[in-house]
Amino acid sequence: KQEVTQIPAALSVPEGENLVLNCSFTDSAIYNLQWFRQDPGKGLTSLLLIQSSQREQTSGRLNASLDKSSGRSTLYIAASQPGDSATYLCAVRPDTGANSKLTFGKGITLSVRP
Amino acid sequence: DTGVSQDPRHKITKRGQNVTFRCDPISEHNRLYWYRQTLGQGPEFLTYFQNEAQLEKSRLLSDRFSAERPKGSFSTLEIQRTEQGDSAMYLCASSFLGIDPYNEQFFGPGTRLTVL
């Protein structure tokens, strides 16, 4: 059974700092990995999707990397801003079967202090 | 296209009542998923449809839960005889299996259910 872990559960940083959020998964047979942002009481916004054959994806100040063999992904946020405060979730899609259901971690709640 | 929409956004009900949620996926998306998220946890898969066919149900989906997707468009999730443990955010997502090799899932805003 796939398990996705995100540690720590919460993180507080001063504005302007570059930071890295970690995600690990137990089964390397994944099709892709997605990073999402969730604001309190809201739905999920997809930030980046990395296919299993890719090493990284970039969007603006965000860069996500994937090391499939070691079961790890990181989300790098450059020059953090208070508006980046949210919960960040990673999710993996299995490489087997037709079902593309996602398995999520519990998320990392980020607070960026002005 | 305005993305995935869900209705209602919030629902408060008393234990034992039935509730129904609706999800409208992105147009042309042939896959639709339901997830449940409790406080401090990541979303957990409940069920998914490809067009109108319900192809998989999680063991989390007890017999009090039923989902439909008539005509392969919108979907409804009904919970009968609600229990306090059903209180959660119910999230809907859709994707297109076909030309898009990524089959990326796009999520709606969710329906927050509170069972008193």
Side-chain angles (χ1 to χ4, degrees):
Chain A
K1 176 187 172 186
Q2 177 73 270
E3 293 185 0
V4 179
T5 302
Q6 295 184 254
I7 295 174
L11 187 62
S12 180
V13 301
E15 181 177 4
E17 189 164 300
N18 301 326
L19 58 104
V20 173
L21 306 181
N22 294 305
C23 170
S24 62
F25 46 95
T26 55
D27 186 349
S28 62
I30 65 169
Y31 185 74
N32 59 37
L33 182 147
Q34 276 184 268
W35 281 94
F36 294 89
R37 169 183 171 141
Q38 186 173 34
D39 293 291
K42 306 294 185 182
L44 306 181
T45 300
S46 180
L47 298 174
L48 289 164
L49 182 150
I50 311 177
Q51 286 294 92
S52 62
S53 58
Q54 297 175 326
R55 283 287 190 174
E56 62 179 66
Q57 282 286 339
T58 298
S59 176
R61 294 183 295 110
L62 305 179
N63 176 277
S65 67
L66 174 64
D67 185 341
K68 181 181 167 183
S69 60
S70 68
R72 294 179 182 177
S73 176
T74 61
L75 179 67
Y76 174 82
I77 303 176
S80 59
Q81 304 170 357
D84 295 330
S85 298
T87 296
Y88 291 82
L89 299 120
C90 70
V92 296
R93 175 188 162 184
D95 196 19
T96 55
N99 189 349
S100 50
K101 66 182 179 183
L102 299 176
T103 300
F104 285 83
K106 292 183 179 182
I108 298 174
T109 299
L110 172 66
S111 174
V112 181
R113 308 186 301 271
Chain B
D1 183 58
T2 57
V4 179
S5 61
Q6 293 186 245
D7 184 70
R9 296 292 303 278
H10 304 275
K11 178 70 177 179
I12 299 174
T13 191
K14 293 181 179 179
R15 187 177 56 185
Q17 297 295 305
N18 299 342
V19 294
T20 300
F21 310 141
R22 176 181 170 123
C23 171
D24 286 89
I26 293 172
S27 298
E28 308 302 324
H29 276 193
N30 51 14
R31 284 197 165 183
L32 187 148
Y33 305 80
W34 285 99
Y35 293 83
R36 181 173 70 185
Q37 185 180 26
T38 53
L39 201 61
Q41 303 295 314
E44 294 177 290
F45 169 79
L46 293 178
T47 188
Y48 92 103
F49 294 83
Q50 181 157 320
N51 300 311
E52 65 276 7
Q54 186 173 19
L55 296 186
E56 184 171 336
K57 295 192 290 186
S58 162
R59 59 178 173 75
L60 294 175
L61 214 65
S62 74
D63 55 7
R64 296 185 297 106
F65 288 71
S66 63
E68 294 181 342
R69 192 184 182 197
K71 303 178 183 177
S73 55
F74 70 93
S75 175
T76 59
L77 178 66
E78 180 182 17
I79 309 174
Q80 296 182 328
R81 305 181 303 281
T82 53
E83 302 172 356
Q84 289 183 326
D86 296 331
S87 296
M89 174 78 89
Y90 289 83
L91 294 163
C92 175
S94 69
S95 69
F96 183 76
L97 179 67
I99 298 174
D100 174 14
Y102 295 165
N103 194 20
E104 184 175 357
Q105 293 184 30
F106 295 87
F107 281 76
T111 293
R112 167 75 66 187
L113 173 65
T114 301
V115 182
L116 302 176

